Amino acid sequence: MDYGKTGNPKKGSNTPRHAEHNAKGTAKNPYDRKADKAALLERMKAAAKKKEG
């Protein structure tokens, strides 16, 4: 008989082993922050202009 398999099963924990560096709700990435598309467009235009000439 395998005595290691007797008894109730151990309940698993779904918590991650570490916190993500850019998780929602942290100082780096607050919940209510929206992506600023205007700033993104400016960066993309500047990169295209730089690549062009």
Side-chain angles (χ1 to χ4, degrees):
M1 182 167 185
D2 188 2
Y3 289 103
K5 304 295 181 199
T6 60
N8 294 334
K10 301 290 187 276
K11 186 169 180 152
S13 174
N14 289 333
T15 57
R17 292 173 188 255
H18 64 279
E20 292 293 329
H21 71 281
N22 59 348
K24 283 276 190 189
T26 57
K28 286 185 178 180
N29 191 9
Y31 283 116
D32 58 349
R33 189 181 77 182
K34 293 283 184 186
D36 191 8
K37 290 204 174 185
L40 173 65
L41 266 173
E42 289 300 319
R43 288 198 314 267
M44 289 172 65
K45 287 179 183 177
K49 195 174 196 180
K50 183 179 175 185
K51 185 176 180 182
E52 189 178 276

